[in-house]
């Protein structure tokens, strides 16, 4: 049985960057629906009951039966991605990349500014609903910016998410309407790099 954890801060905590009503609906309705639908899908396969969502998504094509694979991809992905997303935000943002993550960003993208520009460009340009992630290789030695459609997870493609932005319209439409670029700029100012570094050092975000 998968459970929706409360946010690690108040709904209003990310104002004015991300508004209270968006946070309430996004967490209590959208994320809750992913959790409920994942639980419904798993009911058909009680043998999967002991698996974590990280395990299910990592081994989606080999260990999740075909009749529920799409449901786990969509709703398990939705549960995982949103849990990551909440954890990576904090009022006013926190820290900036340091240590090994900073070194890897410099080595891979040519610097933090270049990384941020590339990530922003991917998030701005992603067509339709999806996510953009900063992910590590499974050995933790390479970094990638990955655009994913719908609720697909880098875990199902051999990567470990470190940071991710939700660019579904439900993440920003109430406040920003069609102005996705403004939402992305606001999101950057609330990123919790302390948590991103933990994800990187732990070999990914695991729930
Ligand atoms: Mn969302």
């Amino acid at each position: 049985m998968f459970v929706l954890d409360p946010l690690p801060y108040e709904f209003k905590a990310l104002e004015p960057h991300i508004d209270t009503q968006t946070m309430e609906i996004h967490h209590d309705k959208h994320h809750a629906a992913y959790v409920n639908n994942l639980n419904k899908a798993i009911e058909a396969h009680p043998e999967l009951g002991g698996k974590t969502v990280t395990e299910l998504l990592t081994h989606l094509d080999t260990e999740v039966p075909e009749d529920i694979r799409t449901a786990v991809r969509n709703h398990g992905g939705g549960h995982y991605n949103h849990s990551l997303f909440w954890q990576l935000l904090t009022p006013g943002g926190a820290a900036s990349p340091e240590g090994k993550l900073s070194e890897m960003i410099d080595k891979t993208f040519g610097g933090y500014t270049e990384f941020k520009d590339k990530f922003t460009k991917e998030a701005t340009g992603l067509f339709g609903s999806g996510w953009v992630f900063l992910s590590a290789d499974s050995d933790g030695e390479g970094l990638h910016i990955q655009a994913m459609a719908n609720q697909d997870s880098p875990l199902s493609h051999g990567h470990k998410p470190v940071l991710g932005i939700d660019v579904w319209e439900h993440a920003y439409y109430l406040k920003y309407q069609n102005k996705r670029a403004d939402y992305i700029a606001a999101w950057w100012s609330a990123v919790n790099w302390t948590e991103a570094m933990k994800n990187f050092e732990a070999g990914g975000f695991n729930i």
Side-chain angles (χ1 to χ4, degrees), residues 26 82 131 166 170:
H26 201 174
H82 286 86
W131 291 71
D166 186 348
H170 71 224

Side-chain angles (χ1 to χ4, degrees), residues 139-189:
D139 60 7
E141 292 303 315
L143 281 180
H144 303 272
I145 293 173
Q146 293 183 295
M148 294 270 141
N150 304 313
Q151 297 294 348
D152 287 1
S153 172
L155 291 172
S156 309
H157 300 268
H159 291 87
K160 312 272 190 169
V162 171
L163 179 75
I165 183 170
D166 186 348
V167 293
W168 284 55
E169 284 186 345
H170 71 224
Y172 63 88
Y173 203 83
L174 287 176
K175 182 176 171 78
Y176 295 99
Q177 295 85 44
N178 60 317
K179 299 183 287 281
R180 187 193 282 182
D182 291 357
Y183 156 69
I184 295 166
W187 175 83
W188 278 118
S189 56

